[in-house]
Amino acid sequence: MKLLLVEDNTAMQTTLVRSFERRGVQVVVCGDGARALDRWRAAVPDVVLLDLTLPGLDGLQVLAAARAEGLDTPVLIVTARGTVGDRVLGLNTGADDYLAKPFDLDELEARVRALARRRGPVRGPEAPAYGGLRIDPDSGAVMHEQQPMELTVRETALMRALLARPGQAVTRERLTETVFAGEGAVQADAIEVVVYRLRKKLAGSAVELVTLRGLGYLLRLVEPAADGPGPAGPA
């Protein structure tokens, strides 16, 4: 199961990620309401775990925008706002369940799994390919010519972010937030290491990872080599 965790408290992020990953759940973390929709669109999860008090956009604003776009992933709101009025507002905005903090981790997992079962297996549309690369909608793996690429978690996150906008530059800051989500303080040049490793793994494919100074990084199709000079004519 794939879970999108939208929570800005780093201690809570760490606790929930460890708890769910021990239970075999793949977790994507986002600590900013303004970026939550991007994460949601990029890799549609099975369940969204959504806090309400977030920087950027409030959790209810994120939820309302997602439902307006047609994103129908089950949403479990987890928040310290536990009054009846807050619960009613959250459910009316489009949430499927509501759990007030503090909560029991076993109960939280049970509710998440119940929402995933209620939704049932859903297969999204086939992801478009770019130079033979695409994201598998079921596993989330990066595929090259129908074969999964051997990428680390960070390399996969980088590739997914770039494939969401092929041929367009994605800023270094945004990629850093995506690749190192929930990891706290990250060195300024950390993203360059991941870019370097991914660039090597793309060597020989129809796509290259390009650095645009001052703009960020992008994926573009490799231009075919120019033909050499033809055979010489008779002397």
Side-chain angles (χ1 to χ4, degrees):
M1 177 176 24
K2 292 180 288 187
L3 176 70
L4 172 60
L5 171 62
V6 186
E7 165 68 60
D8 67 321
N9 184 290
T10 54
M12 180 66 72
Q13 286 178 0
T14 301
T15 298
L16 294 179
V17 169
R18 289 176 178 173
S19 177
F20 276 106
E21 288 186 342
R22 282 199 299 267
R23 291 165 165 84
V25 177
Q26 178 185 343
V27 184
V28 175
V29 179
C30 181
D32 185 283
R35 301 197 182 279
L37 283 174
D38 289 337
R39 299 290 178 81
W40 197 334
R41 298 184 198 103
V44 178
D46 296 299
V47 177
V48 175
L49 202 57
L50 179 65
D51 188 20
L52 292 186
T53 306
L54 297 167
L57 285 179
D58 182 271
L60 288 179
Q61 292 175 299
V62 173
L63 179 57
R67 294 307 191 222
E69 288 187 20
L71 296 172
D72 61 353
T73 308
V75 173
L76 171 57
I77 290 178
V78 178
T79 180
R81 303 182 198 173
T83 68
V84 173
D86 288 324
R87 291 197 296 272
V88 170
L89 182 58
L91 294 171
N92 285 341
T93 304
D96 297 89
D97 200 357
Y98 199 107
L99 187 61
K101 299 177 182 178
F103 50 80
D104 181 83
L105 288 174
D106 289 333
E107 180 184 1
L108 176 63
E109 183 200 3
R111 288 181 181 237
V112 166
R113 292 194 182 278
L115 288 177
R117 288 195 301 271
R118 187 186 310 168
R119 178 178 177 83
V122 177
R123 182 181 178 88
E126 189 73 8
Y130 184 73
L133 295 170
R134 67 178 181 86
I135 303 297
D136 182 80
D138 292 325
S139 67
V142 179
M143 311 294 290
H144 177 239
E145 303 296 352
Q146 307 305 317
Q147 295 297 320
M149 295 185 67
E150 295 185 5
L151 304 178
T152 66
V153 172
R154 290 174 178 172
E155 290 164 358
T156 299
L158 176 60
M159 180 67 88
R160 292 171 70 93
L162 293 171
L163 276 176
R165 301 177 59 187
Q168 301 180 50
V170 183
T171 65
R172 175 174 172 169
E173 292 74 20
R174 184 166 185 174
L175 289 176
T176 299
E177 291 177 4
T178 299
V179 173
F180 298 95
E183 296 191 29
V186 178
Q187 293 184 352
D189 60 350
I191 191 65
E192 295 179 5
V193 176
V194 186
V195 167
Y196 172 77
R197 292 173 179 170
L198 181 57
R199 182 177 284 133
K200 290 181 63 178
K201 293 183 179 181
L202 286 172
S205 74
V207 176
E208 60 183 348
L209 203 172
V210 180
T211 301
L212 298 179
R213 298 298 178 187
L215 294 177
Y217 304 92
L218 62 78
L219 293 178
R220 73 179 179 192
L221 299 177
V222 177
E223 296 182 4
D227 294 335

